[in-house]
Amino acid sequence: MIRWLIGVGLLLMGSELLAQNCSCTLRGEVNDRQTGQPVAGAVIWLPQAQRQTQTNAAGRYELRNLCQGKYRLICQVLGYQSDTLSIELRHEELEQDLHLQEEDVHLQNVTVTAQRLESSLLTRSIIEGAALDQTRGQTLADALKNVTGVTSLQTGSSIGKPIIHGMHSNRVLILNNGIRQEGQQWGSEHAPEIDPFVAKRLTVVKGAAGVRYGPEALAGVVLVEPEPLPQQPDFQGELNLVGFSNGRQGIGSLQLQGGLGAIPGLAWRVQGTLKRGGNIRTPGYFLDNTGISERNYSVTLGYRRKNWQLEGFMSQFSTELGIFSGSHIGSVSDLENVLKNGEPFIKSGFSYQINRPFQDVSHTLQKLKISYGPAQRGVWSLTLARQINERAEYDLHRPRNDSLANLNRPELNFKLTSYNADLVWEHPAIAKKITGSAGLSLSYQRNLVYGRPLIPNFRQLTTGLFWLEKYTHQDWELEAGVRYDFRYQRITLFPSRGVRTYKHLQFGNASGSLGVLRRLGSHWSMRLNGGMAWRPPNVNELYRAGVHHGAAAYEEGEATLKPETAFNLDYTTEYTGKRLRAEVSVYRNYIENFIYLKPQAEPILTIRGAFPYFKYTQVNAVFQGIDASFTYLITKSLSWQTKYAVVRAKDVEHEARLVQIPPDRLENSLRLQPEKAVLGLTNFFMEAGHSYVAKQIRAPENGDFAPPPAAYWLWNAAIGGSIPIHRHPLQLSLSVSNAFNARYRDYLNRFRYYADDQGRNLSLRAKWNF
């Protein structure tokens, strides 16, 4: 299959290609009109295309995949007069430099993106615009599954966390508005506490990124980036409404923003989301107690004056999640019967009510960012943040004979408080060829556990220093970086008889990276990256012991675990032609002391019932695979897309296979998007496709409680367009997933032991900008 895909791609690249109107690239340099020095941090904005970017430390910018036509280009940055000019894209590439005049008064209309990538050599994929709109209402993990090589670890239909190249949880770092997401992400069902509606763009960075972001970025990084604050004092808004047939789920999200004419440079934004859904239906039955209730909001306030920028951000995420009651079983024999028969004991009709077992989760994020950026001195940024993550987990059976009974308190209750501080300096470009940055990171965490113990209380302090440099010369780019991190942990254990025991752990290690990029003409590029990263064991991996109600499993840690050390190598080649766009990535990640949750031979019977038994263990492992995607324009309006991802992983010490490794995945889609309006709808589109997920034949024999499920096909379709209302477009779309209501079980769903996955699901989306 891989050879066939590559062969087709090479054949198409060599064919005579016809004109394509949406593969243009705009790039150039922004500099000071008087000194000729590059201007870093300048915003390049194309209003007609609703696209923008920002110049790097060398003053360079680039916008890809633009359609041919005329545009108004706006360039703005603090301390300079804005520059506006008209451009026309007629060919595949346009080089447009800009020369800015410095001014003494502050600018009113300035936009700076909240987070940008410091490295252009890392392989990355971006979901934005119409592609992001089609994911509205889904969880963050489900939205990211649109990226080749990214899947999700599921616990039912409402809980998911991203998997990049076969790795998940604490090996995938998530940055929410530039802040490391700190939560109880150690559990398989502990999904990221993030409202995807805050994002205007989702970026997935694949590969070890520990030099810039520190430990726990072994597999990659996910950037959740909000829209820049408005440039004009005008009042603006965006309303999103989403409805799903399966679970009869409804979601509404409203965003309002603007500026204050009386205070130039001041801008604000408020945003809120409500979500409510009931029991999910498989092709044959409802899943009892799988409803969801979610309430989120965020507030942003920014002020800019000359070279100074100040931004404050606060968000609150709150959700109640029902846990499938059929996953909590009273005896070992009943559990074995469920695994054997493949049908849950508990079946019900539809209901919005959330009963035990369920989770009650809240996450508060507060951020303050201060930037000072005269072009001739580089850009200094100080970011301070506090996060409070509270998680309460309720068992199926209400307690009767202990202190939790009368007040109906949760059996598990965690409160994690995190403080983060990051100081970053991006130095001015040296001879217009060398750019770089250096920084200091500090983090302090305190975790408190109430109710029955599962993980101990702990305090954790982490410090890190990094330095990155990039050299650019014609069609070559070379980047190198180094980092050192130190972590101290003070863990409070509660052994029998109520005697407290304190453990003091210290971990320290260096990370490094080296990458090279080569552009072969205007169509083809190649990237090669090598890196070393590390991750110290988490407290839960060391000392967890007990029934984890949300995961419906008994889980046990191992106190002798050592830090993981990863050696990563990946190669990516990308071709963008007139009709063909192709990207192929090959990667290999060798991890010493890889930690994973291994299923034990037999389930375990506790006073809370019978549960699958998992224990943390450590081996030397290799993860390797291929990500491939091809998009071919059959005509100007019709395109075909193919994605293929394969992961191979094994324990090299014992030549054994590992559990929970994503099976091979193939996706195909056909999209029709005419240039003219259809049925009165502008931006009209129709799309149909399928996903094929193979059976995981490389799972360890007798190494799990149930064998891997069979392969399955899922078909999907979508149709949509825009209706202008008082010069403001109303975007509508109707889509269906699992269109033929196929019965299947996903190998990466922890509830596959008990029930089938979700059946057919119709979704209706409406978006109105005003």
Side-chain angles (χ1 to χ4, degrees):
M1 176 62 71
I2 298 174
R3 293 179 178 177
W4 178 82
L5 289 171
I6 295 176
V8 171
L10 293 175
L11 179 62
L12 293 173
M13 279 189 277
S15 64
E16 185 66 28
L17 302 176
L18 301 178
Q20 197 264 87
N21 66 336
C22 288
S23 63
C24 300
T25 298
L26 172 65
R27 61 167 61 97
E29 180 179 305
V30 179
N31 56 43
D32 187 298
R33 185 182 299 274
Q34 295 180 339
T35 66
Q37 293 296 314
V39 177
V43 174
I44 307 298
W45 184 37
L46 298 180
Q48 293 89 342
Q50 296 185 352
R51 294 282 302 278
Q52 65 179 20
T53 188
Q54 190 174 6
T55 58
N56 60 20
R60 298 289 301 178
Y61 73 90
E62 183 176 274
L63 283 169
R64 294 188 176 186
N65 303 320
L66 296 171
C67 296
Q68 292 178 342
K70 296 182 179 180
Y71 294 91
R72 185 163 57 98
L73 187 152
I74 301 175
C75 178
Q76 297 175 319
V77 68
L78 293 172
Y80 289 89
Q81 298 177 9
S82 62
D83 192 8
T84 302
L85 66 157
S86 298
I87 60 172
E88 183 174 1
L89 297 179
R90 292 184 295 177
H91 306 289
E92 292 179 4
E93 294 190 7
L94 175 63
E95 185 85 14
Q96 181 64 61
D97 294 339
L98 297 109
H99 311 281
L100 301 183
Q101 180 67 43
E102 189 173 0
E103 68 174 5
D104 295 330
V105 297
H106 60 271
L107 297 177
Q108 298 183 25
N109 307 322
V110 180
T111 298
V112 178
T113 56
Q115 175 71 27
R116 65 179 185 272
L117 287 173
E118 284 76 8
S119 173
S120 62
L121 272 65
L122 292 171
T123 301
R124 60 189 186 271
S125 300
I126 298 174
I127 305 174
E128 60 182 351
L132 182 62
D133 290 339
Q134 284 303 107
T135 70
R136 292 307 193 188
Q138 297 178 345
T139 65
L140 177 64
D142 283 337
L144 295 174
K145 287 168 68 173
N146 290 282
V147 175
T148 309
V150 179
T151 53
S152 66
L153 180 65
Q154 301 286 135
T155 303
S157 58
S158 302
I159 305 173
K161 55 201 321 177
I163 300 176
I164 300 178
H165 291 167
M167 291 177 280
H168 56 84
S169 300
N170 294 92
R171 299 179 188 90
V172 175
L173 181 63
I174 299 178
L175 292 182
N176 182 10
N177 197 359
I179 303 299
R180 291 172 58 106
Q181 180 75 7
E182 301 286 3
Q184 305 283 352
Q185 62 257 43
W186 44 267
S188 63
E189 88 300 350
H190 294 184
E193 299 90 356
I194 296 176
D195 180 6
F197 281 99
V198 304
K200 201 66 175 180
R201 181 169 69 173
L202 299 175
T203 302
V204 176
V205 183
K206 301 177 185 177
V211 170
R212 176 58 187 91
Y213 302 108
E216 302 176 348
L218 269 67
V221 179
V222 176
L223 305 180
V224 181
E225 304 174 87
E227 182 182 15
L229 285 170
Q231 303 179 61
Q232 304 290 343
D234 300 337
F235 177 80
Q236 304 171 19
E238 178 179 301
L239 175 65
N240 282 275
L241 298 175
V242 183
F244 294 105
S245 64
N246 201 322
R248 305 177 193 176
Q249 187 177 120
I251 305 107
S253 183
L254 177 64
Q255 176 179 288
L256 304 174
Q257 62 183 15
L260 295 179
I263 308 178
L266 185 67
W268 59 272
R269 176 186 299 123
V270 294
Q271 179 267 343
T273 300
L274 294 175
K275 177 188 290 188
R276 190 74 172 96
N279 289 347
I280 297 298
R281 182 176 177 83
T282 73
Y285 47 84
F286 283 97
L287 299 177
D288 182 59
N289 197 49
T290 51
I292 182 174
S293 177
E294 191 171 299
R295 305 159 304 280
N296 314 313
Y297 70 87
S298 64
V299 179
T300 309
L301 188 66
Y303 179 71
R304 307 170 179 89
R305 179 178 176 84
K306 293 188 177 180
N307 297 323
W308 290 91
Q309 301 178 49
L310 178 68
E311 181 180 303
F313 175 79
M314 196 275 280
S315 67
Q316 175 70 42
F317 177 96
S318 302
T319 185
E320 286 187 8
L321 293 164
I323 302 298
F324 175 47
S325 56
S327 64
H328 287 241
I329 299 173
S331 68
V332 173
S333 60
D334 287 345
L335 176 59
E336 291 174 346
N337 287 332
V338 169
L339 296 176
K340 180 180 178 180
N341 298 330
E343 292 283 340
F345 280 157
I346 301 176
K347 296 181 181 179
S348 68
F350 178 81
S351 174
Y352 281 107
Q353 188 172 359
I354 299 176
N355 299 309
R356 285 174 170 265
F358 73 95
Q359 299 177 1
D360 187 356
V361 184
S362 68
H363 188 93
T364 303
L365 168 62
Q366 298 165 334
K367 165 194 168 182
L368 176 65
K369 182 176 180 179
I370 304 171
S371 298
Y372 176 68
Q376 66 275 16
R377 300 178 185 176
V379 179
W380 288 87
S381 298
L382 174 65
T383 305
L384 306 173
R386 183 182 78 158
Q387 299 176 69
I388 300 176
N389 183 273
E390 297 182 273
R391 169 176 291 272
E393 299 190 9
Y394 295 78
D395 191 9
L396 174 63
H397 303 289
R398 180 170 175 167
R400 297 179 180 178
N401 301 317
D402 58 24
S403 60
L404 301 178
N406 294 332
L407 298 178
N408 192 26
R409 292 177 179 174
E411 281 67 30
L412 300 177
N413 199 348
F414 313 97
K415 182 178 181 179
L416 178 66
T417 304
S418 306
Y419 297 89
N420 300 86
D422 292 281
L423 179 64
V424 178
W425 175 55
E426 299 179 38
H427 68 71
I430 301 174
K432 298 185 180 182
K433 293 184 177 182
I434 300 177
T435 59
S437 60
L440 168 67
S441 299
L442 298 173
S443 173
Y444 172 77
Q445 288 186 320
R446 181 184 181 186
N447 190 67
L448 298 176
V449 181
Y450 308 93
R452 296 192 180 96
L454 177 64
I455 64 173
N457 296 339
F458 69 87
R459 298 188 182 191
Q460 178 174 285
L461 176 66
T462 305
T463 62
L465 288 167
F466 78 90
W467 182 21
L468 274 168
E469 291 293 336
K470 183 170 69 174
Y471 173 77
T472 304
H473 179 68
Q474 295 179 352
D475 293 327
W476 289 87
E477 290 186 18
L478 179 67
E479 183 178 74
V482 64
R483 182 185 181 107
Y484 183 82
D485 292 277
F486 174 80
R487 175 168 292 178
Y488 167 78
Q489 294 175 338
R490 182 178 184 266
I491 303 167
T492 306
L493 302 180
F494 296 91
S496 60
R497 300 181 183 177
V499 179
R500 295 188 180 186
T501 303
Y502 298 99
K503 294 287 186 179
H504 301 268
L505 303 178
Q506 297 182 16
F507 304 98
N509 208 340
S511 304
S513 66
L514 180 65
V516 60
L517 174 123
R518 174 75 163 101
R519 294 187 178 90
L520 303 174
S522 58
H523 300 291
W524 199 356
S525 66
M526 298 183 295
R527 293 186 181 93
L528 180 65
N529 284 282
M532 184 188 78
W534 74 292
R535 185 184 75 89
N538 292 313
V539 173
N540 68 286
E541 296 167 330
L542 295 166
Y543 297 108
R544 185 191 324 191
V547 176
H548 194 184
H549 302 286
Y554 186 94
E555 299 171 345
E556 184 177 340
E558 173 55 60
T560 61
L561 295 176
K562 301 176 182 178
E564 295 178 340
T565 303
F567 301 90
N568 179 269
L569 183 67
D570 65 83
Y571 168 79
T572 300
T573 181
E574 183 178 356
Y575 177 85
T576 303
K578 295 178 180 179
R579 294 178 65 184
L580 175 72
R581 196 154 128 216
E583 182 178 299
V584 178
S585 296
V586 182
Y587 60 89
R588 178 182 173 86
N589 202 346
Y590 176 79
I591 304 178
E592 291 183 354
N593 303 317
F594 175 73
I595 302 169
Y596 74 102
L597 200 57
K598 182 178 181 179
Q600 301 303 293
E602 299 291 338
I604 191 170
L605 180 63
T606 73
I607 61 173
R608 313 306 300 171
F611 297 93
Y613 177 25
F614 298 84
K615 186 174 182 178
Y616 280 102
T617 188
Q618 196 163 43
V619 297
N620 292 337
V622 167
F623 289 76
Q624 55 191 4
I626 296 176
D627 297 338
S629 64
F630 302 89
T631 301
Y632 183 71
L633 284 167
I634 302 172
T635 67
K636 290 183 178 181
S637 303
L638 187 65
S639 62
W640 177 274
Q641 185 177 61
T642 294
K643 300 178 183 178
Y644 181 69
V646 55
V647 181
R648 299 288 182 264
K650 67 177 181 178
D651 168 7
V652 295
E653 283 184 276
H654 309 96
E655 289 297 321
R657 294 163 177 172
L658 298 176
V659 297
Q660 289 188 341
I661 302 303
D664 297 358
R665 188 180 187 93
L666 174 67
E667 298 178 38
N668 286 286
S669 63
L670 187 66
R671 184 181 179 91
L672 175 66
Q673 189 164 3
E675 296 180 351
K676 298 181 179 180
V678 176
L679 302 176
L681 297 175
T682 59
N683 300 316
F684 177 83
F685 74 92
M686 293 179 61
E687 187 172 9
H690 72 82
S691 300
Y692 170 73
V693 178
K695 180 179 180 179
Q696 182 51 281
I697 60 175
R698 294 172 179 82
E701 295 183 6
N702 302 319
D704 206 342
F705 298 102
Y712 61 88
W713 295 80
L714 296 181
W715 292 84
N716 54 78
I719 186 172
S722 299
I723 303 174
I725 300 179
H726 301 295
R727 294 179 298 178
H728 299 291
L730 172 63
Q731 301 177 29
L732 299 173
S733 68
L734 177 65
S735 60
V736 57
S737 59
N738 194 3
F740 298 108
N741 206 29
R743 182 177 179 179
Y744 73 100
R745 298 194 183 194
D746 194 297
Y747 177 66
L748 299 176
N749 191 336
R750 285 286 293 268
F751 282 175
R752 69 179 174 87
Y753 302 131
Y754 316 106
D756 295 331
D757 270 87
Q758 179 174 273
R760 182 187 297 112
N761 192 14
L762 293 169
S763 58
L764 177 63
R765 294 179 173 88
K767 175 185 175 182
W768 185 42
N769 293 97
F770 57 90

